[in-house]
Amino acid sequence: MAGQQIVAQYKVLNRQILPALSADGLNLVGADELTEAQRQELISYFMTSVFPILTPLADDQTRPFPFLATDSLNLAVRLEKGDTERFAIVQVPGILNRVIAIPESAGQYILLEELIKTFIEELFVDYEIKNVSTFHILRDMELDIADDEGPNLLAEVQQKLFERERGAVIRLVYEKGMHKKALNRLVKVLGVPEERVYGVQGPADLGFLSDLVKFGTTATERFEPFVEYLDERLADERIFETIDEGDILLYHPYDSFTPVVNLIRQASKDPDVLAIKMTLYRVSGNSPIIKALSDAARAGKQVTALVEVKARFDEENNVHWAQELERQGVHVIYGLQGLKTHAKVALVVRREGDEIKRYVHMGTGNYNDATAHFYTDLGLMTTNAEIGLDVTTIFNILTGYSDPEYLNHVFMSPNGIRDALVDNLKEVQAAKKAGQNVKVRLKANSLSDMGMIEELVETAQAGVPIELIIRGITMVKPGLPDKTENLEVHSIVGRLLEHSRVYIFEIEGQRKVFLSSADLMSRNLDRRIELMFPILEEKLADRVVDDFDLMWSDNVKTRVLQPTGEWTKVNRRNHDALNAQLELLAASQRCTKQQEAEKERKLASQPKFQPINNPFQEND
């Protein structure tokens, strides 16, 4: 499967992407395509900025094969001197820009590895260069922490991080044209299975594309920039008052992520805030939320953060931030043995007069201000007393010893979310059998849990129409006679990454709308701390349903799963094109303009004051 994907990637690269970029004035030039004039233009940059960084690494009896880090790009160099054949490795430095504009050659660009190839003889003086080829490796980066590996979870994660850097090579991608002896040497010394060795016609690592397009000035296929809608009442100290007036639904990135950051920032400064509690699964490299939590702890507030140090591929980043928070006085929980904490929840406890009020944020996505610009996620801000009590109980479970009999509105995995989803599906089935109008709408990233699939099939067999928007893995086939005839599956892959999880159950027009951090996968339902929470305010619930229906009507970026397992485009003959993400972006822009217009209207309605002349000043 991986081999087929790589073949397809390079077919698209060479037949579509590179020609399209060239037509737009972005031409990639290989080492063997440079003119002599271009070589002269590049030699100065190479000698001053590249050559001093490079380290040729010999591979012989006295100098063993060098260690190569995962995701590294390297050159395999075959050399000769007299009758002696040599082999060496040159690592392409990741610290330098990989895409280089060729001076005096407008629209011409060369990759760093091709530049090094061009002047490779400068590294091997008095040797004849017989062959230079690029290769890229990936190592196994899974972090496997067994529950019985020791009482200190943080120490175990740190040790595993060290071991992971030397994990087995699971993929070798090399540039076609590499000498057979060099390739055999790489396969042998890296220990990579032959079925995971792939020769490609083009650059061995396609990560350069995002850098190359940045040079374009006349690109016609670029996305139009957009400004996220920001309710100004949520951007400053008014945020507590605004949330208290009524629940707030945020749909990122159509709605700005700023209110989420501002909630924690204002809580860190507000003298009436007594405590802040948060779960952190993935955060950005320079997280403003981390800073706000640190400020709050230094201000003497009770601050607790559960930092999941087992978050896949973010382990190192999370260990760093967890230790930094602890140094600032935050009480840090380094995840839980046996379970990943994937829930996204924050609690601010504030004294208001003689009362204590709880401000809660729960969401479907991470507290990551960077990915919030292109991941679609939903979040709820509320002061609902029962939800606040639920969240308080949840933190008591996570940080201490508590085993409550029930929660008021929030469902928690393991077990709780699965049970709630099944109960709602059974309720819908019963309503259908009673002759009532029913419907189920579910949106998730993946659907692979066999128990949930069986429940969905049973619900579809009962005659309940089921609409599924599943971006990724889907292990159910729709349209099978007497099984899934009433079940449809759509997938939307567009400009933004669909990441929200939405679960809607409707009986005779009465809807239950839930948002969740959990996908319909066994790991989410059985082996992680996840939350599912209701949207209780009717207007907000209607908005979630309307947005789901809009996405279901998408006929541009949607692919529809067929009974055969194939994905097909929507047939929009006689229908106008509808791109749901563009529609939501346009709605966001309208909200911004309406807010600006309202500000101008209020400003214009204010009384205008005219200065009064000095009554004692004599007229000329």
Side-chain angles (χ1 to χ4, degrees), residues 272 274 348-359 385:
D272 291 325
L274 307 176
V348 174
V349 181
R350 190 171 188 253
R351 179 178 52 222
E352 298 182 2
D354 296 331
E355 297 182 354
I356 295 295
K357 183 159 289 185
R358 297 177 176 93
Y359 291 81

Side-chain angles (χ1 to χ4, degrees), residues 42-54 93 95-97 100 112 115-116:
L42 291 167
I43 185 65
S44 176
Y45 172 75
F46 175 81
M47 294 304 295
T48 59
S49 301
V50 181
F51 179 75
I53 302 175
L54 300 177
I95 196 172
L96 298 177
N97 292 330
I100 302 160
L112 180 58
L115 179 68
I116 297 172

Side-chain angles (χ1 to χ4, degrees), residues 251 376 440-447 456 466-474 476 487-493 498-504 519-520 544-554 557-561 567 580-581 584:
Y251 194 179
T376 73
V440 172
R441 304 172 177 92
L442 308 179
K443 180 177 183 290
N445 297 319
S446 298
L447 169 59
L456 288 169
I466 301 176
E467 296 175 352
L468 301 176
I469 300 178
I470 310 292
R471 189 195 75 233
I473 299 169
T474 311
V476 63
L487 186 149
E488 293 183 70
V489 183
H490 290 188
S491 176
I492 296 177
V493 178
E498 290 299 333
H499 193 252
S500 59
R501 291 90 168 185
V502 181
Y503 304 126
I504 306 168
D519 283 311
L520 300 174
V544 174
V545 174
D546 290 345
D547 287 344
F548 184 102
D549 290 343
L550 175 65
M551 301 199 72
W552 189 256
S553 300
D554 182 292
K557 293 299 182 180
T558 291
R559 299 297 183 270
V560 180
L561 184 59
W567 293 92
Q581 290 186 354
L584 290 166

Side-chain angles (χ1 to χ4, degrees), residues 406-419:
Y406 68 93
L407 297 171
N408 295 294
H409 295 292
V410 181
F411 300 93
M412 181 178 178
S413 280
N415 303 321
I417 295 177
R418 178 190 295 278
D419 291 347

Side-chain angles (χ1 to χ4, degrees), residues 547-612:
D547 287 344
F548 184 102
D549 290 343
L550 175 65
M551 301 199 72
W552 189 256
S553 300
D554 182 292
N555 56 22
V556 176
K557 293 299 182 180
T558 291
R559 299 297 183 270
V560 180
L561 184 59
Q562 303 300 316
T564 59
E566 295 180 76
W567 293 92
T568 62
K569 294 181 179 180
V570 177
N571 182 352
R572 61 172 189 255
R573 182 178 298 174
N574 300 324
H575 294 278
D576 293 335
L578 194 158
N579 183 324
Q581 290 186 354
L582 288 184
E583 291 291 326
L584 290 166
L585 286 171
S588 171
Q589 304 302 296
R590 288 194 295 270
C591 288
T592 299
K593 290 179 181 178
Q594 289 171 3
Q595 182 171 253
E596 291 299 320
E598 181 64 17
K599 283 171 59 179
E600 292 179 5
R601 187 191 66 76
K602 288 182 178 179
L603 186 63
S605 65
Q606 291 177 355
K608 297 180 174 57
F609 298 97
Q610 298 293 333
I612 300 175

Side-chain angles (χ1 to χ4, degrees), residues 114-153:
E114 294 295 310
L115 179 68
I116 297 172
K117 281 186 193 178
T118 303
F119 303 107
I120 193 71
E121 66 275 2
E122 300 294 338
L123 293 168
F124 302 98
V125 179
D126 288 339
Y127 278 81
E128 182 183 357
I129 309 297
K130 302 299 291 184
N131 180 261
V132 186
S133 296
T134 311
F135 67 95
H136 178 261
I137 69 166
L138 283 178
R139 294 183 179 273
D140 183 358
M141 297 296 284
E142 289 290 346
L143 197 70
D144 185 19
I145 303 292
D147 293 345
D148 58 355
E149 289 196 9
N152 191 330
L153 179 61

